[in-house]
Amino acid sequence: MRFLKLFKSPSLIAAHRGFSHFNPENTLKALEFSVGRCDFIEIDVQLSRDKKAVIFHDQTLRRTTNIDKDFKVYELSYKELSKLDYGSWFDGIYEPMLDLKTALGFSKKHKMPLNIELKDTSEFCSDAEFVFIVLSLIESFEMQEEILLSSFRHEYLAIIKEMQPNISTAILVEDALPKNPIEYLVALDAKAYNISDELADAKTVKSLRESDIFVNVYTINDEKRAKELFFMGVNAIFSDKLIK
């Protein structure tokens, strides 16, 4: 699991959606900007109506495309999504849709590890099918060792380990850690917690790190807070703008 070797180095910075402070998020332009400025890139994946894996964060398309209706990503086909503009809302410059296949090809070419967050698609697609689609693309590029898969929907993580045990996984949490966080992580065979800044206190980080669990914190855009977290022992931060 070569991705996990990254966490042996201190003070890692992940480009959150490709440093979204500087670029339209989750676009190829954002990935290109991130190369040489971070240790790995975080992106989000979900499915089009015809079940193509696309890179997009929000549940609906209104905020970051030129569509003025609250269509959900899975309500449009891959072809329809491909016709939308993903950049002009940010800087007035057209950017095409980024799909997972393109992102993986970019990652492999530039030797840039990816943390891919699996968005919750359960109201549209079965858990097993979504995981299979994502894993199939990763395997087609032979990139199982360069990828970290994370999700707030922890059911995905269990299925990932059933289908592809060699892929590294991280549990995403926002409001509260599980009651027994170490046992919970072990049960899912995950190696890391990606936690919100609100959960990152010295006691929590110390407990997890003493159990050889990697701790990564989102979303940190303040240099002072970043230094505090690294001093606590946090392995990586996800940032929109703090570059290496």
Side-chain angles (χ1 to χ4, degrees), residues 229-241:
L229 290 168
F230 288 138
F231 183 77
M232 287 181 200
V234 164
N235 297 95
I237 62 166
F238 298 88
S239 182
D240 299 318
K241 65 179 183 179

Side-chain angles (χ1 to χ4, degrees), residues 58-169:
D58 292 6
Q59 187 179 45
T60 65
L61 294 156
R62 183 188 290 267
R63 182 177 67 88
T64 60
T65 74
N66 60 327
I67 200 166
D68 61 356
K69 297 180 180 179
D70 287 323
F71 282 113
K72 296 181 179 180
V73 175
Y74 67 76
E75 291 180 319
L76 298 184
S77 69
Y78 181 78
K79 183 177 180 180
E80 290 168 330
L81 291 169
S82 298
K83 294 178 180 179
L84 299 179
D85 178 354
Y86 295 78
S88 292
W89 69 276
F90 182 87
D91 57 8
I93 301 173
Y94 170 84
E95 283 294 321
M97 179 186 69
L98 179 62
D99 60 87
L100 182 57
K101 183 177 180 180
T102 301
L104 289 168
F106 178 91
S107 172
K108 186 164 187 175
K109 177 181 178 181
H110 294 277
K111 299 181 179 180
M112 175 57 69
L114 292 177
N115 178 174
I116 302 172
E117 179 185 339
L118 278 66
K119 306 301 289 186
D120 188 346
T121 64
S122 57
E123 66 179 17
F124 164 69
C125 179
S126 73
D127 293 352
E129 185 177 12
F130 182 33
V131 169
F132 179 78
I133 290 168
V134 172
L135 291 182
S136 295
L137 281 169
I138 293 171
E139 291 172 17
S140 72
F141 283 90
E142 298 182 344
M143 292 184 65
Q144 296 94 321
E145 297 286 325
E146 283 71 45
I147 301 296
L148 177 70
L149 295 178
S150 61
S151 185
F152 286 104
R153 184 168 177 80
H154 301 164
E155 291 89 341
Y156 291 151
L157 305 183
I159 296 170
I160 289 166
K161 286 300 180 177
E162 291 175 4
M163 292 185 178
Q164 182 51 261
N166 291 330
I167 289 188
S168 302
T169 56

Side-chain angles (χ1 to χ4, degrees), residues 40 51 113 163 227:
F40 61 100
K51 296 181 180 177
M163 292 185 178
K227 290 178 181 178

